[in-house]
Amino acid sequence: MEITGAEIFVRCLEDEGVDCLFGYPGGAVLHIYDALYRQDKVKHFLVRHEQAATHAADGYARATGKPGVVLVTSGPGATNAVTGIATAHLDSIPLVVFTGQVPTSLIGNDAFQEVDSVGITRPCVKHNFLVKDIKDLATTIKKAFYVATTGRPGPVVVDIPKDVTAQRAEYHYPAEVSLRSYNPVVKGHIGQIRRAVKLMAQAKRPMLYTGGGVVLDNASEELTELTRLLNFPITETLMGLGAYPATDKQFVGMLGMHGTYEANLGMHNCDVLVAIGARFDDRVTGNIEKFCPTAKIIHIDIDPASISKNVKVDVPIVGSVRAVLKDMLKLVRGSSFKTDEAALAEWWKQIEEWRSMDCLKYDSSGPVIKPQMVVEKLYQVTNGEAFVTSDVGQHQMWAAQYYKFDQPRRWINSGGLGTMGFGMPAAMGVQLAYPDATVACITGEGSIQMNIQELSTLKQYGLPIKVITLNNGYLGMVRQWQEFFYDKRYAMSYMESLPDFVKLAESYGHAGIRVEKPSDVEGALKEAMSVRDRVVFMDFITDKEENVYPMIPAGAGQNEMILV
């Protein structure tokens, strides 16, 4: 029996187990939307902007580990989605984004709402496809999900011309597919793993440096066991938070530009560095020439292109983080593995001395709300169990520093691309995945306006997220850099003519709370978290000139932090 390409599309999603589809209709995908209307297995969620569709799918993917799926139309629908595609690409998030395209006969003719979606997205996807024949549609969709979710995950774009969705063919969804040029390595080389473990045993000042790859590969259990067996200090990147419990004494905090004193000095002074599922991002390393000057470096990563890309390493291990850690654990549990306990005790003594600096302390005694206090109170009120999304800027760093994530996939943020407008739509995706969970979006008065139209989507689908705006009246991180490095010339960083966020939230049918006194912070948060059936938009008026500390200035080393 032959069915239309649009019906094949829907059947493919059903067979792939897709339950959430985020999108926005338009002419090139109307055949597909008609097919979606005539079924009830795949739930479609209508956003108010295509960028929000990609961020919502991204949030869903980060929280669940399953691929996020997006459907947008051709032309501006596809280009509006590019920011979200690039966001997922830099953070290695599995997305499958379907873009409509003009009919095949019109491709290249500058037809109405035509853009070269494949060409535009090529630099910021893991792979992309243009389907020109209906007979290839089902197989291509299967390939897209396979590529997006295996190896180092990432976004895949499938561009589908309108006539392909109208044509008819027999439906067959392959059980599995293979691509001749794509064979990701899973198992790490055992010889290299033995070399790494031998080096770890000899270490006198070791550090574990872990990133988002641990979260993506669901390897938190193995990482936690290995860390405790070794008794090594562990630091995590912004993307890796929650892979190892933040409340554990071996965790020395996040590292990098706004990392802790003890984490950064531990990195700078270590003699053996074990990098696990991390890519030596510039915000982590600071000045490459000054990075870990005395360390032998072990690097575990699924992507061979990431190894020695930014920092030359001594023991490269290509493979799945989880598989490599399992093999490491077998060797570390063996009777022949011994660490230098006396040297480790001295190393911990030094780390505790650095930790005693209490680099995250701040003064909350004044009459103005400190943003750090809001995050700390949120952590207390939610018992550390909320899913927390963020936008990008000072509020993002304070969320990472002061909310102690003990579980993976609870911290949802745009790390690599630094996308303003990510937080609220990402929270929508998380709340759809976990309807009964507490989902909080920590944002700023600048970022929230990038996708504020999604308050409408939240209302339509009854998604009761909690929006926590740390409102300092500035583009805070821009202002901080202008204070430090541009002689306080605050060029275009002051947010004039801000809306009344409480009234704006209420106009969409949500609850709004404005908080101006430190004494009201905890009570307001408790009140908001007790509301389970609607959005509560909280506008915290915070200290206008509060800065994020510590800070490594651009071009400086990890031992050259600004502390106050």
Side-chain angles (χ1 to χ4, degrees), residues 24-33 72-74 100-103 112-113 162 165:
Y24 202 97
V29 288
L30 283 184
H31 294 321
I32 294 176
Y33 271 90
V72 297
T73 194
S74 64
Q101 186 53 275
V102 300
F112 177 66
Q113 290 194 329
K162 187 171 184 178
T165 63

Side-chain angles (χ1 to χ4, degrees), residues 190-202:
I190 193 63
Q192 290 294 88
I193 295 171
R194 285 198 186 99
R195 281 185 63 203
V197 170
K198 183 179 179 181
L199 190 57
M200 289 154 63
Q202 296 168 351

Side-chain angles (χ1 to χ4, degrees), residues 84-105:
I85 293 168
T87 299
H89 178 61
L90 272 176
D91 288 348
S92 303
I93 305 304
L95 292 191
V96 179
V97 180
F98 297 99
T99 58
Q101 186 53 275
V102 300
T104 51
S105 62

Side-chain angles (χ1 to χ4, degrees), residues 132 139 147 150 179 226 267 328 402-403 419 430 445 534:
K132 292 185 176 180
T139 302
V147 172
T150 55
L179 284 79
L226 180 67
M267 290 285 288
M328 276 190 168
Y402 292 94
Y403 199 101
T419 307
V430 176
E445 78 290 337
R534 63 196 300 206

